[in-house]
Amino acid sequence: MTLYASSKAALRVYSESLAQELSSQFPGIRVIIVEPSGFRTEQNVLGYPMQIPRNPDPAYDSVREKSMQLYTSLDGRQRGDPEKAVELIVDIVRREGKSVERLGGGRAESPIYVPLGREANNDLEAKCTKMIQVVQKWKDVTDNLDHDDTNSVDLTRWGALRFFFLGSLHAYRAFQDRIRALASAGF
Amino acid sequence: MTLYASSKAALRVYSESLAQELSSQFPGIRVIIVEPSGFRTEQNVLGYPMQIPRNPDPAYDSVREKSMQLYTSLDGRQRGDPEKAVELIVDIVRREGKSVERLGGGRAESPIYVPLGREANNDLEAKCTKMIQVVQKWKDVTDNLDHDDTNSVDLTRWGALRFFFLGSLHAYRAFQDRIRALASAGF
């Protein structure tokens, strides 16, 4: 589940980056990021009848049991209707139906984010609300970690969003160095 | 940059899932997710002097030029002070200093999210605000994609957040099937 969820996150950001790359060279190509809740399909992702492979570590036994129960009880009773979802996606691609007013009149932005279903909407909203609270809670501390000199570049001038990620890795290496230094100083 | 950013996203969700796995078996182990802005380090991530490998596609030439410019001008002038950042992280681990009131009195939650620096705070807040707007904009359409029967399971009963991701893959497969069916019907 851990690796599965991670790969989903990677795919989202991959699509976001792809949209940005395409926009400079091929402005006509837009990327749609569809993130669905549980939809009712003929067959469970884990095969039918559903099986979750045994993990050699017995610590996972109870989680597996619970998951098996959930997915077995869910199979064929998922809320989402794939027909309706696909109709909406086709509407978005063609700019028809209910998508028209939401995509706006001009060139549609890219990526177009489309969370599908109540679970996706609720989870996404809850997670984003939580992350905004995290920022607010720590802001007066974490906004004040700058060097005291006046030599710094204001990254916001450069479109910080685009370059944010690379900045992270610089910092990560620095932290490793400092932590190693602290450790060898007997901290 | 696309692959780099994707791997960052995967690492974040990996850490979130890890926190959840650990919490049931080892409640004493907490996960801290640190997401820093640009911090000033001795050496650039791309080597010193910085080099971005040439891409055979000339379409990337101008982006590479711009990135080289940015990182060269940035080197040694990043806002963030790694010493201050590491002090804060150590405070959080030890529940000392400025972290005390923010971590609360009881058992600290896990993961503990720590965006570091103004760029990280601003970008995270902006992105989450945007995603909440996306949910709001499409909600009256995307909340109404359910089957018309009354047979559906209410996933929220089960802790939808934990199982949301697996639901997505079910749906993804269904979409592929439907889209294939639409295509073969000459849609």
Side-chain angles (χ1 to χ4, degrees):
Chain A
M1 187 59 86
T2 301
L3 297 179
Y4 176 78
S6 306
S7 69
K8 282 282 184 198
L11 184 60
R12 172 190 242 255
V13 174
Y14 182 88
S15 308
E16 291 177 319
S17 304
L18 181 66
Q20 200 160 50
E21 277 199 24
L22 285 169
S23 69
S24 60
Q25 303 293 327
F26 305 99
I29 303 178
R30 286 163 293 142
V31 174
I32 304 181
I33 298 179
V34 176
E35 296 176 299
S37 310
F39 277 74
R40 196 177 307 171
T41 62
E42 292 80 2
Q43 190 174 315
N44 202 293
V45 63
L46 296 166
Y48 191 82
M50 191 203 58
Q51 290 299 331
I52 300 179
R54 243 192 144 270
N55 189 303
D57 184 344
Y60 286 92
D61 285 353
S62 71
V63 179
R64 192 178 55 253
E65 270 314 304
K66 250 167 109 172
S67 303
M68 291 278 285
Q69 249 180 56
L70 168 65
Y71 289 113
T72 304
S73 76
L74 198 57
D75 198 33
R77 296 178 61 204
Q78 298 94 333
R79 266 187 182 176
D81 183 340
E83 303 265 5
K84 294 182 185 172
V86 171
E87 266 166 42
L88 176 61
I89 295 170
V90 172
D91 273 354
I92 292 171
V93 172
R94 298 182 154 183
R95 287 221 208 188
E96 291 176 356
K98 290 170 180 165
S99 80
V100 179
E101 55 194 297
R102 285 167 191 84
L103 292 175
R107 191 155 76 87
E109 62 179 355
S110 179
I112 301 167
Y113 296 96
V114 187
L116 286 183
R118 251 175 291 175
E119 288 127 22
N121 280 332
N122 292 348
D123 290 351
L124 188 54
E125 205 167 3
K127 182 61 172 282
C128 288
T129 303
K130 186 197 161 75
M131 290 314 302
I132 291 172
Q133 284 164 357
V134 165
V135 170
Q136 297 298 345
K137 186 164 73 173
W138 290 91
K139 207 174 172 59
D140 62 322
V141 178
T142 54
D143 266 359
N144 293 298
L145 301 171
D146 291 356
H147 276 283
D148 297 322
D149 60 40
T150 54
N151 195 29
S152 304
V153 174
D154 183 3
L155 255 188
T156 52
R157 270 202 320 130
W158 286 84
L161 208 66
R162 185 172 311 190
F163 294 105
F164 165 59
F165 290 107
L166 202 44
S168 311
L169 189 51
H170 299 185
Y172 179 65
R173 294 218 171 161
F175 294 152
Q176 290 188 310
D177 291 348
R178 304 282 164 165
I179 284 166
R180 228 176 277 126
L182 284 169
S184 68
F187 188 83
Chain B
M1 186 59 84
T2 302
L3 297 179
Y4 176 80
S6 307
S7 69
K8 280 282 184 198
L11 184 61
R12 174 192 240 254
V13 174
Y14 182 88
S15 308
E16 290 177 318
S17 303
L18 181 67
Q20 199 159 50
E21 276 198 23
L22 286 169
S23 70
S24 60
Q25 304 292 326
F26 306 98
I29 303 179
R30 286 163 295 139
V31 173
I32 304 181
I33 297 178
V34 176
E35 296 175 300
S37 311
F39 277 74
R40 195 176 309 171
T41 62
E42 290 80 2
Q43 189 174 317
N44 201 294
V45 63
L46 296 166
Y48 191 82
M50 191 201 59
Q51 290 300 330
I52 301 179
R54 240 189 148 272
N55 189 302
D57 185 344
Y60 286 92
D61 284 352
S62 71
V63 179
R64 192 180 52 253
E65 269 314 303
K66 249 167 108 176
S67 303
M68 292 276 287
Q69 248 180 55
L70 168 66
Y71 289 114
T72 304
S73 77
L74 198 58
D75 199 33
R77 297 178 59 204
Q78 298 95 331
R79 266 189 184 174
D81 183 341
E83 303 265 5
K84 294 183 185 171
V86 171
E87 265 166 43
L88 176 61
I89 295 170
V90 172
D91 273 353
I92 292 171
V93 172
R94 297 183 155 183
R95 288 221 207 188
E96 290 176 357
K98 290 170 179 166
S99 79
V100 179
E101 56 194 296
R102 286 165 190 86
L103 293 175
R107 192 156 74 89
E109 62 178 355
S110 179
I112 301 167
Y113 296 96
V114 187
L116 286 184
R118 254 176 287 173
E119 289 128 21
N121 281 332
N122 292 348
D123 290 351
L124 187 53
E125 204 166 4
K127 182 60 171 284
C128 288
T129 303
K130 187 196 161 76
M131 290 314 302
I132 290 172
Q133 285 164 357
V134 165
V135 170
Q136 296 297 344
K137 185 163 76 171
W138 290 92
K139 208 175 171 59
D140 61 323
V141 179
T142 54
D143 265 0
N144 292 297
L145 301 171
D146 291 357
H147 277 283
D148 298 322
D149 60 37
T150 54
N151 196 29
S152 303
V153 174
D154 183 3
L155 255 188
T156 52
R157 270 203 320 127
W158 286 84
L161 207 66
R162 185 172 310 192
F163 293 106
F164 164 61
F165 289 107
L166 202 43
S168 312
L169 190 51
H170 299 185
Y172 179 65
R173 295 220 169 159
F175 294 152
Q176 289 189 311
D177 292 348
R178 304 282 164 165
I179 284 167
R180 229 177 276 125
L182 283 169
S184 67
F187 188 84

